[in-house]
Amino acid sequence: LGLASSGVHSNGFSLVRKLVEVSGVSYHDPCTFEAGKTYGEALLCPTKIYVKSCLEALKADCIKALSHITGGGFVENIPRILPKGVTVDVDASLWTLPPVFDWLRTTGNISPQEMAKTFNCGIGMAVIVPADKAELASKIFEANGEKVYNIGTVRAKKEGEPSTTVTGKPGSWGYADAWVAKSAH
């Protein structure tokens, strides 16, 4: 499962600062992708904290592992929580890239592979749950104020496969072609 982020969080801010600089906008300018906010307010939205909702799901014995999607995105963070012999397939078409990330993507002409390696892309916490408890976990997270997405699957890893693969169909995250980002692990 994926829990929605509140924005960029702390991921990739060297790149964010560079994109603001090269785009010619000021942090004080009205934001084009989030009405009623300045670029500073939209880009520097406080990081969402998931403690309360995750503790509730843990109490219900719904969680196998948690991965905060910080710097390194999906492909560097998820492999850290996986036991040997397991891989995760994340399908980026299962949620919409939030406007702040679409602005970063288009402003920097950033490839989907780099987006998946640098930013949380709208998913601040990845949660590995047993398949038979996914619905219960989703209900617990939603009852605790989270927006929840089913973002992929965990399966046995074949020889030579990466620990995490993020795929996108044509049109997902605004890209015209299908794409794949893989962990180095």
Side-chain angles (χ1 to χ4, degrees), residues 41-60:
E41 290 168 328
L43 292 168
L44 300 172
C45 180
T47 300
K48 183 172 184 54
I49 305 298
Y50 301 93
V51 173
K52 181 181 176 193
S53 60
C54 288
L55 284 174
E56 291 302 316
L58 278 167
K59 287 178 192 173

Side-chain angles (χ1 to χ4, degrees), residues 61-78:
D61 195 32
C62 290
I63 295 177
K64 292 281 213 180
L66 295 164
S67 178
H68 193 212
I69 307 302
T70 59
F74 296 92
V75 297
E76 289 184 19
N77 288 292
I78 294 175

Side-chain angles (χ1 to χ4, degrees), residues 73-153:
F74 296 92
V75 297
E76 289 184 19
N77 288 292
I78 294 175
R80 294 179 185 144
I81 64 168
L82 300 175
K84 290 188 185 300
V86 173
T87 188
V88 171
D89 297 316
V90 175
D91 181 350
S93 69
L94 297 174
W95 75 97
T96 301
L97 190 69
V100 64
F101 295 104
D102 194 47
W103 183 83
L104 294 167
R105 176 187 71 82
T106 56
T107 300
N109 194 28
I110 304 171
S111 73
Q113 293 84 357
E114 284 306 310
M115 290 294 293
K117 290 178 183 178
T118 305
F119 297 110
N120 69 52
C121 298
I123 302 296
M125 180 72 73
V127 186
I128 307 293
V129 298
D132 64 341
K133 293 189 177 182
E135 187 175 334
L136 174 60
S138 292
K139 287 180 182 178
I140 291 168
F141 285 121
E142 288 169 353
N144 283 277
E146 305 293 352
K147 174 70 177 154
V148 183
Y149 300 94
N150 184 340
I151 63 170
T153 56

Side-chain angles (χ1 to χ4, degrees), residues 169-184:
K169 297 178 175 84
S172 66
W173 292 8
Y175 294 98
D177 299 315
W179 55 272
V180 178
K182 298 178 183 179
S183 66

